[in-house]
Amino acid sequence: MDELKIPQHVAVILDGNGRWAKKRRMPRKYGHAQGAKAVEQVCENAWRMGIKYLTVYAFSTENWKRPEDEIDAIMKLFRDYLKNCLEISRKNDMRVRIIGDRSCLNEDIIKVITQLEEESKNNQGLNFQVALNYGSRDEITRAVKKIAQKIENGTLRSEEINETIISDELDTCDIPDPDLMIRTSGEQRLSNYMLWQLAYAEFYFTDVLWPDFDKKELEKAVAFYNKRDRRFGGV
Ligand code: FPP
């Protein structure tokens, strides 16, 4: 039997927390809390399977349109989750990075993020990225501004711009592009997630709601990835 190919980087759009809670006649925030537990589990399972990078879409630049009480509940959850993440990163040697525009997050959340990234930067276990206030178009816009500034101050010439220069200005610089993108809950769209980085990724969609996405579901996604023939534009 052929050996199982393990994707180096898996990007996840976790979706369906609200529907999961509704099915149980529980408030949406209960679904988010269960979703956070599923994130913790998927980190452990991914690392055990040999996945080196995992990026989860926790909060998009568009999610601010949700009702205020839901946003408050999600932010409270992030606060607790990020503190818990400090413990987990120490225990599991996990490196944590946050992608997205953190400038408009609350001061205390920014402080925990900075501490998490600084403390875990030399860890050798799973590279875990959380997309918080993330939108791919926003990320690309910020990158273009940084490149324009370099041209303005004379440290870069426009002829020198290439794909590497652009990649290096994205929040994901130093992180390899995802090989596999998973979206739960039956939706089949990208929702402004890693548009540049997912150029050659395989897409896996499942009807499973995020809080139910367990080890078995991750294994199914990896099995699907193994059936794909990745040609990167070749024959
Ligand atoms: C997805 O389900 C939920 C979100 C994108 C909101 C925030 C995510 C969490 C709290 C999960 C935990 C993540 C971390 C990193 C702690 P939805 O509300 O869009 O579900 P629905 O489509 O069923 O309404």
Side-chain angles (χ1 to χ4, degrees), residues 13-31:
I13 303 181
L14 37 99
D15 199 1
N17 292 346
R19 275 163 286 168
W20 187 91
K22 196 172 170 205
K23 268 172 64 179
R24 289 162 178 77
R25 297 174 199 274
M26 294 295 278
R28 291 177 61 81
K29 66 179 179 189
Y30 179 66

Side-chain angles (χ1 to χ4, degrees), residues 179-224:
D179 307 289
L180 173 66
M181 192 287 298
I182 300 172
R183 183 167 191 156
T184 56
S185 91
E187 310 296 346
Q188 301 199 357
R189 51 180 177 267
L190 270 182
S191 301
N192 203 11
Y193 191 44
M194 303 183 94
L195 303 179
W196 173 278
Q197 298 89 335
L198 289 172
Y200 287 101
E202 298 293 337
F203 289 1
Y204 176 77
F205 299 104
T206 170
D207 288 338
V208 168
L209 303 175
W210 176 253
D212 291 328
F213 192 89
D214 56 11
K215 182 168 175 264
K216 198 173 82 243
E217 297 302 331
L218 181 63
E219 283 167 0
K220 278 192 213 164
V222 171
F224 161 89

Side-chain angles (χ1 to χ4, degrees), residues 79-90:
R79 263 186 204 98
D80 296 343
Y81 177 81
L82 292 168
K83 281 183 201 140
N84 190 24
C85 221
L86 258 175
E87 298 302 319
I88 299 171
S89 66
R90 285 175 194 147

